[in-house]
Amino acid sequence: SPTQVGTALQVFYNLGTLKDTITNVVDGYCSVLEENIKNALDIKVLTQSSQTVTRGGPGRAAMPTPGNTAAFRAALWTNMEKLMDQICAACGQVQHLQKLLTKKRDPISHVCFIEEIVKDGQSDILYKFWTAVTQTLSSQFQSATDSSMFLKQAFEGEYPKLLRLYNDLWKRLQQYSQNIQRNFNTSGSPDLFAELQQMEEDAQDIFMQKKQDYDPEKALKDSLQQYEAAYLSKSLSRLFDPINLVFPPGGRNPPSSDELDSIIKTIASELNVAAVDPDLSLAVAKNVAKTIQLYGVKSEQLLSTQGDASQVIGPLTEGQRRNVAVVNSLYKLHQAVLKVVTSQNSFPAAAEETITTALKAVHDLMGSAVQPLLNSVGDSVEAIIITMHQEDFSGSLSSSGKPDVPCSLYMKELQGFIGRVMSDYFRHFECFDFVFDNTEAMAQRAIELFIRNASLIRPLGEGGKMRLAADFAQMELAVAPLCRRVSDLGKSYRQLRSFRPLLFQTSEHIANSPALGEVIPFSIILQFLFTRAPPELKSPFQRAEWSIARYSQWLDDHPSEKDRLALIRGALEAYVQSVRAREGKEFAPVYPIMVQLLQKAVSALQ
């Protein structure tokens, strides 16, 4: 009751013993709590409450008998809960006292009671009390666990339980700070109420806000540091053990589904137990991230990097089969951990980010594991497409007006190869999205190469155009196995669709096509218009005396339109010089259209 305590303070003030009395009261609380802490951790008391002991000989150590550890621990946690109640109650008394001292004045001299206490430079009795209590907790816990292995094991093994008790205590203390004001307002004489009414604004004490150089919550939890370190170390061992078990030295295969399940259960269990505290969650999340890294390192050691890992000629080799199994295993781990993380309630963002970063590394490892195979497939696709230049597209239209064959030989070979690669190699991967993300990029590249090479065919007769148009249609079927839907290929797909009708249009029509620059790069169209020119107007690669393969490589090395257009300009300028050198009277009809298109392309770049 603020009224009764206020009256008592007035009496002691009048007697001139206020300061000593307050010091004695606070010291009394500290002494009682010190006794409470000692009793709560007294191994003899704990052992007796957990078993009925037959009297041992002299010097017999007090310790639980092997079968009684559970009862001992139950007694310990009951004691700890009781201790937290005792600390909370004592704190409440001191907080209450501090509030009254800060606000109560002597009615005659108007001296604020706290000023009496300030004389020794210690105005904050709550701060003094809390420092004493937290230091006692640290020293008593230290000495108790140093002298008893059972206490040490209990606090280290069940550290989250201990931390939860401390967190609950801290919450109660903060709550109590807020409640004191309400008590003052509801119980107390009108004059005292008038004195105390500004306390609402002033309701901050050390449990509500940190001081600059002192964090009371940290002071409380400092006594727990050694147990947290031991707990995290054991937690890491629990996480690593199942992984070291399923990747024995010299082993050749990734873990089975059951073995992987056991690893995931351990991860889930460690995260669930740590959920009592955001800082502990983050610390355990870092352990989980290390666990994921370890799994990645062990898996990487199983990967085959020999030549047979990237062959695409015969059926799956032993090395390729193992690589598929490793990628599938990494994928299952990735998905399972993701599921565990998303199922966590109020998981700290930093903890989630720590695990997500580790999972990204797993995803990257999956990528580097399939890269050699993807490279081989890509190289073979390019090699097949470039053989279109070995076929004859110069023929005129047959009497029926239709091509003699539905598509060219190289296209048949390409369709067969892609179909076989998907069924022989990629079908065995369980991570379909991951596979398609990689093979769709390959499909886009195949279309790019197909259009590039189709635009370079010289000479191109009317019959050749019909056959090439059929190849364009067949190309969609060829890349279909590599993607979810061909239309998902975006720009590549639009280029394939837009280029085909240009085969049959006049050069003037082509130069004015809306697809130019927007869908199909100017350089590709200019390359294609060379096929409509006389042999004297040489294509850029002919002028440079390169093979088509070398020119294709140059285009890969120079992706910018600016470089490509400069090479084309060089070819056009060389043609002008050759016409002038032989004193020709006119240029080929397609030449002015190409020059105009080149100017349009250059201005579009600017």
Side-chain angles (χ1 to χ4, degrees), residues 37 40 91 101 107 116 121 126 132 186 200 204 226 238 250 256 388 424 514 531 545:
I37 295 167
C91 262
L101 284 167
E116 276 295 298
L126 184 56
T186 52
E200 193 71 57
Q204 304 291 2
Q226 55 169 332
R238 286 194 293 272
S256 68
M388 72 165 70
D424 282 6
T531 62
E545 296 182 352

Side-chain angles (χ1 to χ4, degrees), residues 282-336:
L282 177 57
V284 171
K286 285 177 182 169
N287 278 355
V288 170
K290 287 178 192 165
T291 309
I292 295 167
Q293 283 163 354
L294 178 68
Y295 194 93
V297 169
K298 298 273 189 188
S299 298
E300 193 171 9
Q301 289 164 357
L302 297 180
L303 289 173
S304 164
T305 51
Q306 305 304 314
D308 72 335
S310 56
Q311 69 82 32
V312 286
I313 298 158
L316 269 185
T317 62
E318 182 51 45
Q320 286 175 321
R321 205 177 290 283
R322 191 163 70 247
N323 286 0
V324 167
V326 169
V327 170
N328 285 340
S329 160
L330 288 167
Y331 171 69
K332 283 178 190 160
L333 174 87
H334 185 281
Q335 295 305 97

Side-chain angles (χ1 to χ4, degrees), residues 1-21:
S1 158
T3 317
Q4 288 178 341
V5 176
T7 308
L9 290 175
Q10 183 68 58
V11 171
F12 288 117
Y13 177 78
N14 294 344
L15 291 171
T17 57
L18 181 62
K19 190 173 148 189
D20 294 345
T21 308

